[in-house]
């Protein structure tokens, strides 16, 4: 995809959604971190339903530690892989208390040192909670980037590297949200809605529908 096409792509996404954001519900960097950890292989809707009851009880690392793994499990039992996620969230909370005075660090290396926190989760928190112009690549962004020709790669790291190289600086902060939402609602895995796609003429996907 040419630089002019890339610029046009993001201008259209921006015009359609000037102020994109996460569909996860949260009120602090810590709540966002917990929600993103829960969202792996789960829908945002299911996570929001769980955290609606969880966060009034445990919205800080100290409160989560007091709840403990067994206390946390009932709140997240409807979410995939909840036993493992419970252990990671409580372990992450313990490390925040021990090493970061109970605060979520605005540093990728420090975030990825926390139990259960990988690069994608760290990037989401850095971008959404701290306003850093990093791009987290999930399955939606991976699909959109490869289909459109925006940034092709065989794995999420390659796609992230490609996006960092080609996304204009003016769009980099919101690129993650625009691409994710476009993949979630338009450029879907099955039966993509190419007919209603606002970047259809820019997209290099050979199997467009309609």
């Amino acid at each position: 995809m040419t630089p002019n096409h890339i610029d046009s792509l993001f201008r259209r996404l921006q015009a359609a959604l000037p102020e994109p954001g996460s569909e996860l519900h949260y009120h602090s960097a810590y709540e966002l971190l917990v929600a993103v950890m829960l969202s792996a292989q789960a829908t945002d809707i299911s996570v929001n339903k769980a955290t609606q009851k969880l966060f009034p009880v445990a919205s800080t690392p100290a409160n989560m530690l007091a709840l403990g793994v067994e206390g946390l499990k009932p709140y997240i039992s409807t979410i995939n892989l909840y036993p493992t996620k419970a252990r990671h969230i409580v372990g992450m909370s313990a490390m925040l208390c021990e090493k970061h005075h109970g605060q979520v660090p605005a540093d990728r290396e420090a975030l990825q040192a926390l139990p259960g926190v990988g690069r994608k989760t760290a990037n989401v928190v850095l971008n959404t909670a701290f306003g850093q112009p990093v791009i987290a690549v999930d399955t939606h962004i991976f699909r959109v980037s490869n289909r459109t020709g925006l940034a092709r790669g065989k794995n999420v790291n390659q796609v992230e590297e490609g996006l960092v190289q080609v996304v204009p600086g003016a769009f980099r902060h919101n690129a993650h949200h625009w691409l994710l939402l476009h993949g979630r609602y338009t450029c879907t895995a099955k039966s993509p809605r190419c007919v209603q796609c606002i970047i259809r003429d820019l997209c290099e996907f050979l199997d467009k529908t309609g």
Side-chain angles (χ1 to χ4, degrees):
M1 187 175 288
T2 68
N4 285 340
H5 281 178
I6 292 171
D7 188 75
S8 296
L9 180 150
F10 282 106
R11 288 188 183 279
R12 293 183 194 179
L13 295 178
Q14 182 182 53
L17 190 62
E19 297 182 7
S22 174
E23 294 187 320
L24 293 170
H25 298 166
Y26 65 96
H27 297 95
S28 67
Y30 176 72
E31 288 188 356
L32 175 64
L33 176 55
V34 171
V36 176
M37 291 174 71
L38 290 173
S39 70
Q41 299 184 42
T43 65
D44 286 0
I45 293 174
S46 68
V47 172
N48 289 335
K49 287 181 179 179
T51 57
Q52 183 179 14
K53 296 179 180 179
L54 171 63
F55 287 156
V57 176
S59 61
T60 68
N63 289 339
M64 193 67 74
L65 277 177
L67 193 61
V69 174
E70 294 307 315
L72 173 58
K73 284 181 179 179
Y75 288 97
I76 63 172
S77 60
T78 56
I79 296 175
N80 287 338
L81 307 174
Y82 77 91
T84 300
K85 291 178 180 179
R87 291 194 300 273
H88 284 162
I89 288 170
V90 172
M92 171 273 291
S93 301
M95 188 174 289
L96 287 181
C97 290
E98 293 168 4
K99 295 189 175 183
H100 302 285
H101 308 288
Q103 300 299 311
V104 176
D107 175 81
R108 182 188 284 113
E109 185 177 350
L111 283 168
Q112 288 188 239
L114 299 170
V117 178
R119 186 177 180 88
K120 187 202 79 173
T121 296
N123 279 350
V124 171
V125 173
L126 292 172
N127 178 279
T128 306
F130 298 111
Q132 296 186 21
V134 296
I135 301 175
V137 178
D138 68 353
T139 55
H140 297 299
I141 296 172
F142 182 82
R143 180 174 64 254
V144 171
S145 297
N146 274 288
R147 275 183 178 171
T148 60
L150 178 60
R152 291 195 170 98
K154 295 180 180 179
N155 55 58
V156 293
N157 289 335
Q158 289 180 358
V159 170
E160 181 185 338
E161 291 173 4
L163 289 172
V164 168
Q165 292 176 8
V166 303
V167 176
F171 302 117
R172 187 149 324 149
H173 177 249
N174 288 323
H176 160 82
H177 297 295
W178 284 321
L179 296 175
L180 186 155
L181 294 171
H182 189 70
R184 180 174 290 171
Y185 297 113
T186 302
C187 193
T188 52
K190 297 181 179 179
S191 303
R193 299 175 176 88
C194 299
V195 172
Q196 65 190 54
C197 178
I198 61 175
I199 59 171
R200 177 188 175 98
D201 59 312
L202 304 173
C203 173
E204 299 176 1
F205 185 42
L206 298 178
D207 297 322
K208 293 186 181 75
T209 61

